[in-house]
Amino acid sequence: MSVVILGIESSCDDTSAAIIKDGVLCSNVIASQAVHEAYGGVVPELASRAHQQNIVPVVSEAIKRAGTTKADISAIAFTRGPGLMGSLLVGNSFAKGLSLSLGVPLLDVNHLQAHVLAHFIKKSPEQDTAPQFPFICLLVSGGNSQIIKVDSYDKMQVIGQTIDDAAGEAFDKCAKVMGLGYPGGPVIDRLAKEGDATLFSLSRPHIGGYDYSFSGLKTSFLYLLRDELAVDPDFVNKNKAHLAASLQAAIVDILMNKLRKAVKDSGINRVAVAGGVSANSAVRQAFLDHSARYGWKVYIPEFSFTTDNAAMVAITGYFKYQNGEYCDINAPSFSRVENQLV
């Protein structure tokens, strides 16, 4: 009998549902929330309200596209945390209600663990592109910048992480002061292709270990704008592409410096990248360059699996279902996670 997992993701501002059947992806539906663009960032209350509106049609569409029915579902996987509490509660409550009505078990999923395991999503039974254990994963998004040692699907250890802003925050906040809108990362990426990354010098952090810091970079970028705008009020408009290129180059440089150290010290040359910022073209190119230069075997996700999506939740749930790791109906959501992911 086939194992059919319904995955539900609602940790931030994307409502998503996916169906995985016997480890193979059958559907992955995502409803994004444009309402936050006017505020320059995600507004938690608006996000939770939008999830309430979207979750029923999104789940229904995922089941329909997969060519299955609710009666075929073996278990329901949902993002328990970390994330925005109001958003998480919508997915949590819906998953529990559907679990009770169908009489199927619940599978709680750590959002960060799911991003890492997005590399194990298969579109066909024959696909075999997942990294072998152990491997090192750089998880970069709007809320997280972490280096993770992955020994198995259920054994991951954060060995380095940001002590302040995440890489995605640095992109978004700097883009905001440039007047580029939200989210700023994709706009910076597009503009950077037309700019000179060597034109402006931005500070780099000097902290030990594998931890990251992006607050100093952000501050130096703001000081640069302040000083130049005092001389030329049209400075940003004249130099958008060069500013974007310099910012992007600095962020990628910071990310890869610590990752190189972690890979060298661990002796593990299988290296993956995950999270929303892994869609950035400079990050992806840096991985390819490091593969050629240092002999890394790199794993770069499809663009559709970089942002928050339920396919990564469903594949994580599939692994947990196989081991009988079910979730108690009373399990609460959580907004933060410690260094040990699982």
Side-chain angles (χ1 to χ4, degrees), residues 104-150:
V104 298
L106 277 171
L107 305 162
D108 62 320
V109 171
N110 182 306
H111 179 76
L112 304 182
Q113 179 192 15
H115 268 303
V116 175
L117 295 180
H119 289 281
F120 292 82
I121 298 170
K122 298 168 64 174
K123 289 187 172 181
S124 69
E126 299 78 22
Q127 184 178 342
D128 186 22
T129 56
Q132 292 184 341
F133 300 113
F135 64 93
I136 299 294
C137 184
L138 174 66
L139 174 56
V140 276
S141 66
N144 299 279
S145 293
Q146 299 178 330
I147 299 175
I148 302 169
K149 183 175 180 289
V150 186

Side-chain angles (χ1 to χ4, degrees), residues 63-114:
I63 294 172
K64 178 182 178 181
R65 290 187 189 180
T68 187
T69 67
K70 288 185 291 184
D72 298 321
I73 295 172
S74 306
I76 301 170
F78 70 98
T79 301
R80 185 177 167 194
L84 300 176
M85 188 57 71
S87 296
L88 290 167
L89 287 173
V90 175
N92 188 324
S93 300
F94 184 88
K96 289 177 177 179
L98 188 59
S99 167
L100 288 172
S101 68
L102 298 179
V104 298
L106 277 171
L107 305 162
D108 62 320
V109 171
N110 182 306
H111 179 76
L112 304 182
Q113 179 192 15

Side-chain angles (χ1 to χ4, degrees), residues 136 147 212 255-263 287 296:
I136 299 294
I147 299 175
Y212 288 114
L255 289 171
M256 300 309 292
N257 277 343
K258 289 302 180 79
L259 183 61
R260 279 197 305 273
K261 177 176 173 59
V263 171
F287 266 72
W296 293 2

Side-chain angles (χ1 to χ4, degrees), residues 14-207:
D14 288 326
T15 312
S16 182
I19 294 288
I20 280 184
K21 182 177 181 180
D22 295 330
V24 179
L25 182 65
C26 299
S27 65
N28 186 36
V29 178
I30 302 174
S32 298
Q33 301 175 5
V35 65
H36 305 287
E37 294 176 6
Y39 300 93
V42 177
V43 181
E45 180 61 28
L46 295 180
S48 59
R49 290 181 184 181
H51 283 305
Q52 289 178 317
Q53 295 173 341
N54 293 335
I55 194 162
V56 171
V58 165
V59 170
S60 297
E61 183 65 17
I63 294 172
K64 178 182 178 181
R65 290 187 189 180
T68 187
T69 67
K70 288 185 291 184
D72 298 321
I73 295 172
S74 306
I76 301 170
F78 70 98
T79 301
R80 185 177 167 194
L84 300 176
M85 188 57 71
S87 296
L88 290 167
L89 287 173
V90 175
N92 188 324
S93 300
F94 184 88
K96 289 177 177 179
L98 188 59
S99 167
L100 288 172
S101 68
L102 298 179
V104 298
L106 277 171
L107 305 162
D108 62 320
V109 171
N110 182 306
H111 179 76
L112 304 182
Q113 179 192 15
H115 268 303
V116 175
L117 295 180
H119 289 281
F120 292 82
I121 298 170
K122 298 168 64 174
K123 289 187 172 181
S124 69
E126 299 78 22
Q127 184 178 342
D128 186 22
T129 56
Q132 292 184 341
F133 300 113
F135 64 93
I136 299 294
C137 184
L138 174 66
L139 174 56
V140 276
S141 66
N144 299 279
S145 293
Q146 299 178 330
I147 299 175
I148 302 169
K149 183 175 180 289
V150 186
D151 291 309
S152 66
Y153 94 88
D154 60 351
K155 187 178 180 182
M156 303 181 189
Q157 180 70 41
V158 177
I159 60 176
Q161 61 188 332
T162 182
I163 62 174
D164 41 59
D165 288 347
E169 285 180 284
F171 274 123
D172 288 340
K173 290 178 180 178
C174 291
K176 184 177 181 179
V177 298
M178 288 174 64
L180 301 180
Y182 175 85
V187 183
I188 294 289
D189 193 10
R190 187 182 71 248
L191 287 172
K193 294 180 174 66
E194 305 168 3
D196 181 356
T198 66
L199 198 58
F200 301 109
S201 178
L202 299 171
S203 68
R204 306 292 199 272
H206 298 283
I207 56 175

